[in-house]
Amino acid sequence: MIPNKPDHSKSQRLTQQRSAVLHAVEMVRTHPSAEEVFHLVRKELPNISLATVYRNLHLLAEEGKIREVQFEGDVLRYDGITGPHEHFYCRSCRTVWDIDRSLSPQAIHDVERSMKASVESYNLDFYGLCSVCRRKA
Amino acid sequence: MIPNKPDHSKSQRLTQQRSAVLHAVEMVRTHPSAEEVFHLVRKELPNISLATVYRNLHLLAEEGKIREVQFEGDVLRYDGITGPHEHFYCRSCRTVWDIDRSLSPQAIHDVERSMKASVESYNLDFYGLCSVCRRKA
DNA sequence: CTCTTATCAGTAATGATTCCTAATAAGCCC
DNA sequence: GGGCTTATTAGGAATCATTACTGATAAGAG
Ligand SMILES: [Mn+2]
Ligand SMILES: [Mn+2]
Ligand SMILES: [Zn+2]
Ligand SMILES: [Zn+2]
């Protein structure tokens, strides 16, 4: 008898609601809020409840299938791209832009050494005006 | 007649409450929350209200006298050190440690160039276990 | 198909923060 | 110092994002 691998994933059943929430976050590049995911998913599942969206977003984030992101003065948002990258947040239009770079392993190791700590993750967020808003200003 | 310089600072009167709030944030290295500042200031001004603490923290942050910081899954905190530095946040004990480094001007300029945006500020926060909690784990 | 129970919909509760209003006090002018 | 204007306060209500609760539903193992 082969013992099952311990299942550390918290979600055990693949419900329509759960896969629709995951699909919505993965499909858009907007880093949507729970409310926005709710509106997206409603097109497919008109009866889904907001609490279900919140619950599944949190669950999917814990499993590492999506990523939680938060910016100053804004609500929690979700990111379908889980690989390491950085963000630029426009203070005017609140758009989030992906930055295709990441801190060097050396820089992270420097922090670990100076803090005598283990670094599990980091966030690097830039704030300012995006090119569109800069023109308007 | 010399016209007054336009006063961009939002706080016009130096109240006891306001200076006590500022003093509390500047005195501690703990990056306290509003609630924690409230308890600190109460020792000096037992009748100060929580709303007053919130209002002044926000005001002082807008004037650049203190800095607002926020970490994943935690409430807003305040930092008496306004100069550029980075943070390490222990996921276990929620302690915030200052890191005496900052991104190179070159790295920031790279972001501005690639985004065609103006970068006003950035946050670089590391997450993990501090040395104390690592020993316990 | 049946059965167990994880998950759901709908709604109430929570908790941090902000708003509101009559009372207070900072600080300018005399 | 004593008035006077009004920014600021204390205290409580309101807001808003998020989480908790509960009886009903459906995923998926056998
Ligand atoms: Mn992203
Ligand atoms: Mn700091
Ligand atoms: Zn913009
Ligand atoms: Zn710790």
Side-chain angles (χ1 to χ4, degrees), chain A residues 12-13 15 17-18 48 52 55:
Chain A
Q12 306 177 17
R13 294 181 184 176
T15 63
Q17 290 88 339
R18 186 161 298 151
I48 195 172
T52 296
R55 183 165 12 83

Side-chain angles (χ1 to χ4, degrees), chain A residues 88-95 97 128-134 136:
Chain A
F88 177 87
Y89 180 87
C90 178
R91 285 196 204 278
S92 175
C93 64
R94 304 183 158 201
T95 303
W97 309 78
L129 287 184
C130 75
S131 58
V132 178
C133 290
R134 198 148 67 132
K136 287 186 214 155

Side-chain angles (χ1 to χ4, degrees), chain B residues 1 12 19 33 42 54 56-58 62 79 107:
Chain B
M1 175 183 179
Q12 305 176 18
S19 58
S33 66
R42 277 237 262 195
Y54 269 103
N56 279 303
L57 285 171
H58 186 251
E62 278 210 325
D79 193 337

Side-chain angles (χ1 to χ4, degrees), chain B residues 102-110 112:
Chain B
S102 59
L103 235 52
S104 72
Q106 181 59 56
I108 294 166
H109 192 256
D110 285 351
E112 292 191 309

Side-chain angles (χ1 to χ4, degrees), chain A residues 31 79 85 87 98:
Chain A
H31 304 78
D79 192 338
H85 65 283
H87 290 122
D98 287 319

